[in-house]
């Protein structure tokens, strides 16, 4: 998989982000299928418990976004995916929801390791996260926080 991805990105003037993303996603999906050790499984479950509904909502959005696509009116229509409708989707998308929870866990671990390395290297603050000024109307923030965000603002 790595060889194929490298071949697609030989042009120094242009990075093919879509093919890079697809290759990385393919590898991550394979890794997700590998059975975790008991200690890793406990750590993953603890992460899911600690992150709670925010993680569940984001993972559900990711799975739905894969299924419905970016242009679906459900993202901007507050009545399109009500609680009853979402409960119908959860069993169908259970594995993808689990995959997206796992991705967030892996990302969290990597950020924690990078922060530790930055601090140990002498950085006073370590990593700084980017703060988005706005959000896409069909993005995860707009969908998961639709009860508290003012549309069109």
């Amino acid at each position: 998989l790595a060889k194929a991805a490298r071949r697609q990105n030989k042009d120094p003037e242009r990075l093919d982000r879509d093919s890079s993303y697809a290759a990385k996603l393919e590898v991550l999906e394979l890794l997700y299928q590998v059975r975790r050790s008991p200690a890793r499984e406990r750590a993953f479950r603890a992460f899911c418990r600690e992150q709670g509904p925010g993680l569940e909502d984001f993972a559900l959005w990711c799975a739905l976004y894969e299924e419905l696509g970016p242009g679906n009116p459900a993202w901007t229509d507050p009545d399109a995916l009500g609680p009853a409708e979402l409960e119908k989707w959860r069993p169908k998308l259970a594995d993808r929801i689990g995959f997206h929870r796992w991705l967030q866990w892996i990302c969290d671990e990597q950020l924690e390791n990078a922060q530790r390395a930055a601090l140990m290297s002498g950085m006073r603050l370590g990593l700084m996260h980017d703060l988005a000024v706005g959000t896409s109307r069909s993005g995860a923030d707009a969908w998961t926080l639709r009860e508290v965000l003012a549309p069109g603002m």
Side-chain angles (χ1 to χ4, degrees), residues 46-63:
F47 172 79
C48 292
R49 276 192 311 277
E50 290 165 9
Q51 299 305 307
L55 175 63
E56 291 301 317
D57 288 347
F58 180 71
L60 173 61
W61 177 86
C62 290

Side-chain angles (χ1 to χ4, degrees), residues 57-58 61-62 65 69-72 74-76 134-146 149:
D57 288 347
F58 180 71
W61 177 86
C62 290
Y65 197 82
N72 194 293
W75 303 125
T76 54
T135 184
S136 167
R137 290 185 68 209
S138 61
D141 292 334
W143 188 72
T144 58
L145 300 170
R146 63 191 172 280
L149 293 179

Side-chain angles (χ1 to χ4, degrees), residues 34-102:
V34 174
R35 187 169 178 247
R36 291 180 284 278
S37 71
R40 292 289 289 161
E41 183 62 28
R42 282 191 302 276
F44 174 55
R45 290 182 186 275
F47 172 79
C48 292
R49 276 192 311 277
E50 290 165 9
Q51 299 305 307
L55 175 63
E56 291 301 317
D57 288 347
F58 180 71
L60 173 61
W61 177 86
C62 290
L64 280 169
Y65 197 82
E66 289 175 337
E67 187 75 20
L68 301 177
N72 194 293
W75 303 125
T76 54
D77 178 359
D79 300 320
L81 290 171
E85 183 68 21
L86 290 176
E87 289 312 310
K88 292 177 188 175
W89 279 101
R90 284 184 196 277
K92 178 181 178 185
L93 299 175
D95 187 58
R96 291 309 288 179
I97 292 168
F99 173 67
H100 288 288
R101 284 194 317 253
W102 177 82

